Amino acid sequence: EYDYHKMWGDLGMDVEAHDGLLGVVGEMYQTMYLTQENRPASTSYLDGVAANLHSGRIREMVDGRSEGSPKKIIGSFCLYVPEEVVTAAGAVEVGLCAGAEWAPEEAERYVPRNTCPLIKGFMGFKLGRVCPYIESADLVVGENTCDGKKKAYEQFSKLKPMYIMDVPHVRNEDTKLQWRHEVHALAARIEEETGQKITEESLRAAIKLANDKRRALQRLSDTRAADPVPISGLDSLLTVQAAFMDDSARLTGAINEMADECEKRVAEGVGAAPKGAKRILYTGTPMAVPNWKLFNIIEKAGGVVVGEECCTGSRYYKDLVPEDGATIDEMLDDISDRYLNIQCAIFTPNNGRRDDVIRMARELHADGIIDASLSFCTIYEMEAFDMEKAAQEAGIPYMHLSTDYSAEGDGQLTTRIQAFLEMI
Ligand code: BJ8
């Protein structure tokens, strides 16, 4: 029996507090996930990921590092940090976004009280020393996206070695070149960290590895257009959340198995929710582990989430990087261009996001759109006005919500969601 408590202690974690966190998350998983009926059998992979998140997966990466593969662990908070570059230089990229509140009083010594819960969450996870991903990371790559993150990184960098990428906020020829420069600079910084040069071969393989994962996620997503829908929104969400933590090749294999089973279910008319269940397209801010509450409320109320336009959803997998780049420079440019196209609300204008939401709602036969922002996220709250208009014009019922990580407003949230499901 491997001594995980020793491993967490060696990583500098607060082992006792961490036991408490694992207990809470384990209970949430039990009541939200394991109570679901008619799950595809292949989702047992997700149960394994959830069980190993802080134990087996960390051990694997930490052991791997001491054996030289991967050489380093690189943490990131955002979709704009290209994993292909990190992989090609011999490191592994892991997501550090926090989906739960932790040590808020300590976090408030570094960031204001009225900060988005995602930011407050990662500050609290670091200060409370309960996240093995943060603690095992050799370097954390941040990005100048929203004001909250940009300024919080100034604080976070006092606690952990950081490298910051500057993400443009408009798309034109100048910023395209600027962003390409940023991606090339990241490549140099990761090479310096690992002491390993990116080669044509390693970069080409990394592009293929990431694309294979995206293709598998696209396959799975396509099956959700069916009625009855073969897999729940909760399980689909966890699949993408897992992608930020698990080994890419293993994950891709598991997702393809889930897609195989879901395709078969569609052909046989087997669903995770009954035929005719109200279908919701989610759009909004990302949902980091273990932020499952909104999907749980929707699905326990009898609705089913059939798609998610967000960073823990379609934005993660809808676009591929071309696989025919001839040189390292050309491949890095292709990677840059693909990432600049992510429809984050930090961009102005960002009309592509609205188009995507309406397109997805139609393709996935959604009965309604739920657009949710984490509280104090000004940019997503701002975009909700035009999102509502676009939904109205398309004739699709729409609801906007603002939530945080606490359970305080859950009763009211449930009432509003139930009313919306009845109305659509
Ligand atoms: S590409 S969505 S992962 S920045 S919710 S911290 S925006 S105040 S997460 Fe994001 Fe990258 Fe964009 Fe995606 Fe700020 Fe809003 Fe908080 Fe947010």
Side-chain angles (χ1 to χ4, degrees):
E1 183 77 351
Y2 190 80
D3 188 353
Y4 285 113
H5 283 91
K6 182 176 180 308
M7 178 186 81
W8 295 320
D10 290 347
L11 285 173
M13 293 170 63
D14 180 338
V15 177
E16 209 175 301
H18 179 251
D19 278 346
L21 174 68
L22 283 190
V24 174
V25 176
E27 229 168 82
M28 282 168 65
Y29 196 78
Q30 178 68 41
T31 55
M32 295 185 184
Y33 275 85
L34 299 179
T35 51
Q36 297 183 96
E37 284 168 15
N38 305 316
R39 292 174 86 195
S42 51
T43 55
S44 61
Y45 161 74
L46 298 175
D47 298 338
V49 168
N52 280 301
L53 211 56
H54 280 205
S55 50
R57 176 59 181 147
I58 300 294
R59 177 188 176 190
E60 180 179 71
M61 287 193 297
V62 170
D63 284 359
R65 183 168 57 184
S66 60
E67 288 153 18
S69 167
K71 288 201 164 72
K72 296 278 174 165
I73 301 170
I74 308 293
S76 89
F77 294 104
C78 176
L79 231 51
Y80 284 109
V81 181
E83 62 178 276
E84 293 88 343
V85 171
V86 172
T87 314
V92 60
E93 183 173 324
V94 293
L96 302 182
C97 283
E101 184 179 77
W102 197 264
E105 302 81 14
E106 283 200 61
E108 282 165 24
R109 286 174 30 230
Y110 289 80
V111 296
R113 172 176 295 242
N114 291 350
T115 302
C116 138
L118 191 147
I119 295 170
K120 225 169 162 176
F122 70 66
M123 291 303 296
F125 271 52
K126 173 64 197 140
L127 291 162
R129 293 181 290 122
V130 291
C131 174
Y133 291 87
I134 294 179
E135 298 310 324
S136 62
D138 298 286
L139 176 72
V140 173
V141 180
E143 31 29 80
N144 293 334
T145 46
C146 68
D147 285 353
K149 276 182 165 179
K150 184 169 66 188
K151 299 307 282 185
Y153 295 149
E154 292 176 6
Q155 302 296 330
F156 198 83
S157 63
K158 295 172 185 161
L159 309 165
K160 196 78 201 171
M162 281 201 88
Y163 174 82
I164 307 286
M165 297 181 83
D166 195 32
V167 183
H169 292 189
V170 295
R171 292 184 187 91
N172 59 36
E173 277 309 304
D174 285 347
T175 56
K176 181 173 163 174
L177 295 178
Q178 210 178 304
W179 177 242
R180 284 182 175 183
H181 177 79
E182 284 293 318
V183 171
H184 285 252
L186 174 75
R189 179 65 186 84
I190 304 293
E191 285 179 336
E192 181 194 315
E193 187 69 27
T194 59
Q196 185 175 320
K197 283 275 173 211
I198 293 174
T199 64
E200 258 174 49
E201 212 184 8
S202 74
L203 192 52
R204 189 162 296 121
I207 290 173
K208 169 108 177 21
L209 187 70
N211 278 349
D212 284 345
K213 174 165 63 178
R214 296 180 185 122
R215 279 188 278 260
L217 285 163
Q218 289 169 4
R219 273 187 70 202
L220 186 62
S221 161
D222 287 348
T223 67
R224 299 166 74 195
D227 186 19
V229 62
I231 184 166
S232 68
L234 272 170
D235 280 325
S236 305
L237 171 64
L238 184 54
T239 309
V240 180
Q241 290 174 334
F244 290 92
M245 277 123 175
D246 204 10
D247 172 75
S248 279
R250 175 170 58 219
L251 176 100
T252 300
I255 300 171
N256 274 319
E257 271 175 37
M258 285 162 66
D260 287 342
E261 186 180 357
C262 287
E263 283 167 6
K264 194 159 162 266
R265 286 185 141 210
V266 171
E268 291 166 355
V270 177
K275 195 174 165 67
K278 295 289 171 61
R279 307 165 65 86
I280 298 297
L281 180 80
Y282 170 80
T283 183
T285 45
M287 291 172 172
V289 175
N291 181 14
W292 302 308
K293 79 165 182 184
L294 187 62
F295 280 32
N296 183 57
I297 292 175
I298 294 169
E299 300 198 328
K300 296 290 186 287
V304 63
V305 181
V306 294
E308 30 303 296
E309 189 287 321
C310 64
C311 285
T312 44
S314 64
R315 281 184 225 160
Y316 184 80
Y317 54 77
K318 79 179 169 71
D319 297 321
L320 304 179
V321 174
E323 291 181 17
D324 55 0
T327 61
I328 295 180
D329 282 344
E330 208 175 300
M331 287 186 264
L332 287 176
D333 288 349
D334 285 343
I335 291 170
S336 313
D337 297 351
R338 184 264 178 208
Y339 281 78
L340 192 63
N341 221 14
I342 296 170
Q343 315 281 5
C344 174
I346 57 154
F347 275 87
T348 181
N350 191 37
N351 303 341
R353 178 177 162 224
R354 288 203 293 281
D355 299 343
D356 266 357
V357 167
I358 301 303
R359 177 186 55 78
M360 287 177 72
R362 291 197 170 123
E363 284 174 5
L364 298 166
H365 311 292
D367 298 303
I369 296 168
I370 293 186
D371 180 357
S373 320
L374 286 168
S375 24
F376 310 114
C377 178
T378 317
I379 50 177
Y380 278 88
E381 300 262 336
M382 288 274 186
E383 287 202 350
F385 291 92
D386 280 349
M387 190 66 80
E388 177 164 28
K389 238 170 100 198
Q392 255 164 14
E393 279 163 18
I396 307 167
Y398 169 96
M399 177 167 68
H400 179 258
L401 299 168
S402 182
T403 74
D404 59 18
Y405 291 160
S406 79
E408 244 166 65
D410 283 6
Q412 204 194 0
L413 209 58
T414 306
T415 313
R416 284 191 63 196
I417 287 169
Q418 282 168 341
F420 185 66
L421 291 174
E422 270 166 39
M423 187 266 289
I424 61 179

